């Protein structure tokens, strides 16, 4: 950092560990003089442009991209509540938090998933799907009336919806009573 402040070097933006030598020290020995330490640095001339290239600009834009996802309302992470679907609200989400597919957001209401790091008031980002692997955290519609956020476990011909809080019990259902509506992919939290 001291060399940078004294204008001997300059850090190149958007390049990991890249430096440009701007000037050499005034008290350096002439090139023909023998060096005492045996060390002879090699300075590689650069022709890096002073401004960012279009490719660098494009990657920076991708890093700053946001996507508006529909915020469908609140989801119970405790006792299941009726499914709510409010399509008038949206939430801005960094594109890097989601992958391909259709996504939506819900606000968490309850504390049954706190041991999974999902707290009351968090916004969960979900990929819309109708099936999920055992162990995934999903939005599950129970009996076409209630929706909840739980870890899905398949046990034989049954489906278990497991909370991530010991204060709540695992609920077990037949496969015809549960419809997966989405799989958790990201989480947003405001402090």
């Amino acid at each position: 950092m001291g060399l940078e402040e004294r204008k001997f070097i300059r850090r190149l933006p958007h390049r990991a560990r890249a430096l440009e030598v701007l000037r050499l020290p005034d008290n350096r020995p002439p090139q023909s003089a023998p060096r005492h330490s045996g060390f002879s640095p090699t300075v590689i001339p650069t022709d890096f442009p002073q401004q960012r290239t279009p490719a660098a600009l494009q990657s920076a834009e991708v890093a700053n991209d946001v996507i508006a996802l529909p915020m469908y309302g609140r989801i119970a992470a405790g006792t299941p509540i009726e499914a709510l679907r409010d399509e008038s609200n949206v939430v801005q989400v960094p594109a890097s938090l989601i992958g391909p597919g259709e996504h939506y957001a819900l606000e968490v209401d309850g504390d049954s998933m706190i041991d999974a790091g999902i707290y009351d008031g968090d916004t969960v980002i979900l990929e819309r799907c109708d099936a999920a692997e055992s162990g995934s955290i999903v939005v599950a519609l129970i009996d076409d009336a209630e929706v909840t956020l739980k870890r899905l476990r398949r046990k034989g011909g049954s489906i278990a919806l497991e909370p991530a809080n010991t204060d709540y019990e695992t609920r077990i259902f037949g496969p015809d009573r549960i419809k997966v509506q989405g799989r958790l992919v990201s989480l947003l939290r405001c402090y």
Side-chain angles (χ1 to χ4, degrees):
M1 182 137 149
L3 293 174
E4 189 175 19
E5 289 173 356
R6 293 183 299 216
K7 307 285 188 220
F8 284 102
I9 62 170
R10 176 176 71 94
R11 294 176 200 229
L12 299 176
H14 310 291
R15 291 185 175 88
R17 296 181 292 277
L19 299 172
E20 179 180 12
V21 177
L22 298 175
R23 67 184 180 103
L24 297 173
D26 295 333
N27 61 354
R28 69 184 175 124
Q31 293 294 342
S32 60
R35 299 196 184 265
H36 298 288
S37 68
F39 174 74
S40 176
T42 303
V43 177
I44 301 170
T46 64
D47 59 349
F48 294 126
Q50 296 297 322
Q51 296 183 6
R52 295 193 294 177
T53 62
L57 282 171
Q58 186 178 21
S59 66
E61 288 171 5
V62 168
N64 293 327
D65 276 353
V66 293
I67 296 174
L69 295 180
M71 173 69 106
Y72 287 153
R74 297 173 66 86
I75 181 149
T79 305
I81 58 175
E82 277 189 39
L84 299 175
R85 190 167 184 153
D86 177 9
E87 297 189 27
S88 63
N89 293 328
V90 295
V91 63
Q92 301 293 327
V93 177
S96 61
L97 292 182
I98 60 174
E102 188 179 348
H103 295 80
Y104 63 97
L106 292 168
E107 184 181 346
V108 175
D109 181 23
D111 63 354
S112 74
M113 297 301 288
I114 59 173
D115 291 339
I118 303 170
Y119 296 96
D120 185 47
D122 286 349
T123 300
V124 289
I125 309 302
L126 303 135
E127 178 185 12
R128 189 179 308 277
C129 62
D130 55 7
E133 298 148 6
S134 187
S136 298
I137 296 175
V138 299
V139 171
L141 180 65
I142 304 166
D143 296 328
D144 292 323
E146 304 173 309
V147 68
T148 188
L149 182 71
K150 295 286 184 284
R151 188 172 307 276
L152 177 115
R153 297 272 187 211
R154 298 185 193 282
K155 297 180 181 179
S158 299
I159 295 176
L161 297 179
E162 296 178 346
N165 182 339
T166 56
D167 293 342
Y168 294 88
E169 293 182 7
T170 298
R171 296 174 66 195
I172 300 174
F173 300 93
D176 56 330
R177 294 183 61 197
I178 301 294
K179 291 180 185 168
V180 173
Q181 294 188 322
R183 180 183 59 84
L184 179 71
V185 294
S186 293
L187 179 130
L188 300 174
R189 178 173 298 145
C190 294
Y191 292 97

